[in-house]
Amino acid sequence: MAWNEPGNNGKDRDPWGNSGKSNQTPPDLDKVFRNLMQKLGGLTGGRRPGGDINGVGITVVLMIALVAWVISGFYTIKEAERGVVLRFGKFYESVEPGLRWKATFIDHVIPVDVESVRSLPAAGFVLTRDENVVRVEMDVQYRIADARKYLFSVTNADDSLSQATDSALRYVVGHNTMDDVLTRGREKVRQDTWQELEDTIEPYDMGIVVVDVNFLPARPPEEVKDAFDDAISAQEDEERFIREAEAYAREVEPKARGQVKRLEEEALAYKEQTVLKATGEVARFNELLPQYQAAPDLTRQRIYLETMEEIYSKANKVLVDLPQGSNSMIYLPLDKLTPPAAQGGRAAPATAGANSQLPVRSSSSGEQASDTVGLDSAPLRSSERTVGRY
């Protein structure tokens, strides 16, 4: 038997909670909502006739919501940051460090660090001008100069900088030989890459400033690494030899210049001495010529005596006094008569006998004679031996 059929003794009820009488209808929805609103109005200050919410309660709720909205709008920009304010998703203004306020749900603030130096690595295999493949690595250090341009000039400034770095690196390495990239041309490659990178990103105006570019050691492919290690070692030896040669040149050149200067001064002094001596001889001859023309024999004899006097004054002399009628032989010690400088620098003089002594025989005449043998520092020859009698 169904619940709404007669005969269930009135114990069954309909879904609305009413007794099973045929004359009852479902409850009114407006009445249910009205009762709910009255309960809420009691919580916020009672209700007015007719069931409406009190205006004071609504005002309190609105005030609380307004205070919460105002408080939620305060924010702080750090010293190393700059803030970019977006209003309804569009750029509105840039803000400096400090305590700021924004309209919540209307404005959106993006803080950007503009003082920290960021690092962007780049690496890859690159083909050089001489058609060799090298692995190059580079580290680009940069910082943000303009927060607005960094966020809105391009879609992703960091990604754009990475692509520009790869492009600049491949361009520069492709215009250099493998030897330059691996050894002595590394600094030039670094400078050229830096300049090329700045030229590439300049038209995009991304608000980025490149601080430094570090060109890490490049490596050849593993297949030829040993050969390139030998080449680098040989180049280092070459540079070491060059430095040693330059050091030796710096040591020897001043000495050579000093010797050249000394020889030049000695040559000039000898030249002046010779010229002055020749001038003096000419003057002496000019003075002597009239005397010679007046008395040739007397002048000739006087010149001879003066010449012999000058010669004998510079030569060693030995005076031997032989007794009258003596026929003995005397040996002169030539090695004792010769100066030490002449002995060491010249050949031994002509000698007579095993003891290197010059024999002097006595005169056959009956008169007592003194033989004088003159020896100079040069080796004696037969034509140079002079025996004088006084």
Side-chain angles (χ1 to χ4, degrees):
M1 184 179 294
W3 61 270
N4 56 357
E5 292 181 358
N8 60 358
N9 299 323
K11 297 180 181 179
D12 296 329
R13 294 180 176 273
D14 61 8
W16 305 105
N18 299 322
S19 60
K21 296 180 180 180
S22 58
N23 58 349
Q24 291 183 350
T25 59
D28 189 3
L29 293 179
D30 294 338
K31 184 178 180 180
V32 174
F33 283 110
R34 188 180 299 109
N35 293 333
L36 179 62
M37 295 299 293
Q38 289 176 359
K39 293 178 180 179
L40 293 176
L43 295 176
T44 58
R47 61 181 180 84
R48 294 180 299 174
D52 296 336
I53 300 176
N54 193 347
V56 177
I58 298 176
T59 305
V60 172
V61 173
L62 294 177
M63 291 298 294
I64 294 174
L66 180 62
V67 171
W69 180 77
V70 172
I71 294 176
S72 65
F74 288 99
Y75 66 95
T76 302
I77 299 296
K78 298 180 181 179
E79 184 65 27
E81 296 177 342
R82 298 295 182 271
V84 178
V85 180
L86 304 180
R87 177 160 293 177
F88 298 111
K90 183 179 180 181
F91 174 78
Y92 178 67
E93 63 177 350
S94 298
V95 293
E96 299 294 325
L99 181 63
R100 304 290 176 177
W101 183 85
K102 64 180 177 65
T104 307
F105 308 119
I106 298 176
D107 295 342
H108 176 63
V109 180
I110 303 176
V112 179
D113 191 346
V114 297
E115 292 189 4
S116 299
V117 177
R118 306 185 182 189
S119 180
L120 179 66
F125 289 95
V126 184
L127 186 67
T128 61
R129 186 180 64 184
D130 50 357
E131 298 181 356
N132 290 310
V133 178
V134 294
R135 176 174 175 79
V136 292
E137 297 180 3
M138 181 165 287
D139 184 74
V140 179
Q141 297 181 356
Y142 68 97
R143 66 179 182 85
I144 300 173
D146 192 320
R148 177 187 177 184
K149 294 179 180 179
Y150 173 76
L151 293 174
F152 304 115
S153 292
V154 293
T155 303
N156 190 329
D158 294 333
D159 185 62
S160 299
L161 181 62
S162 177
Q163 296 180 12
T165 302
D166 291 340
S167 176
L169 184 60
R170 294 180 184 277
Y171 175 81
V172 174
V173 174
H175 285 76
N176 288 271
T177 62
M178 187 174 190
D179 185 60
D180 293 335
V181 176
L182 295 178
T183 55
R184 53 191 169 190
R186 294 173 47 81
E187 180 61 25
K188 184 177 182 298
V189 172
R190 187 184 77 88
Q191 294 291 342
D192 294 345
T193 304
W194 191 347
Q195 184 64 40
E196 184 66 22
L197 176 60
E198 290 183 343
D199 295 341
T200 302
I201 66 176
E202 182 179 2
Y204 297 96
D205 197 15
M206 297 186 295
I208 291 177
V209 176
V210 178
V211 178
D212 193 9
V213 174
N214 297 323
F215 187 58
L216 304 179
R219 301 191 305 273
E222 294 296 332
E223 293 78 2
V224 294
K225 185 176 183 300
D226 294 337
F228 272 95
D229 290 341
D230 294 339
I232 293 174
S233 178
Q235 188 172 15
E236 293 176 350
D237 293 339
E238 178 186 3
E239 294 177 355
R240 178 171 57 83
F241 291 148
I242 292 175
R243 288 193 296 269
E244 292 177 355
E246 292 176 350
Y248 177 75
R250 287 192 295 268
E251 179 183 358
V252 173
E253 286 180 1
K255 295 181 180 179
R257 293 192 184 96
Q259 292 179 356
V260 170
K261 190 67 175 178
R262 179 174 57 82
L263 293 176
E264 289 179 353
E265 293 179 353
E266 290 179 355
L268 292 176
Y270 176 76
K271 174 184 176 181
E272 294 177 358
Q273 180 182 1
T274 304
V275 172
L276 293 176
K277 184 177 180 181
T279 303
E281 292 293 337
V282 171
R284 178 174 173 273
F285 179 79
N286 291 333
E287 293 180 357
L288 189 62
L289 180 60
Q291 299 179 7
Y292 180 81
Q293 292 176 350
D297 295 337
L298 181 61
T299 304
R300 188 183 302 110
Q301 184 66 22
R302 184 169 65 85
I303 294 174
Y304 173 76
L305 294 177
E306 291 177 355
T307 303
M308 296 304 297
E309 180 181 1
E310 181 180 358
I311 292 174
Y312 280 115
S313 64
K314 298 178 181 179
N316 296 329
K317 297 175 287 296
V318 176
L319 299 179
V320 179
D321 187 9
L322 298 177
Q324 186 176 4
S326 174
N327 195 20
S328 60
M329 180 178 293
I330 299 176
Y331 290 90
L332 300 179
L334 298 181
D335 56 341
K336 302 298 182 183
L337 297 177
T338 306
Q343 292 181 8
R346 301 182 181 181
T351 59
N355 296 328
S356 300
Q357 295 177 345
L358 181 64
V360 178
R361 296 182 180 275
S362 61
S363 174
S364 59
S365 62
E367 299 176 357
Q368 183 178 358
S370 296
D371 294 340
T372 302
V373 179
L375 301 175
D376 57 4
S377 59
L380 287 176
R381 296 188 295 270
S382 60
S383 60
E384 294 178 351
R385 298 172 184 169
T386 304
V387 177
R389 184 179 300 276
Y390 293 90

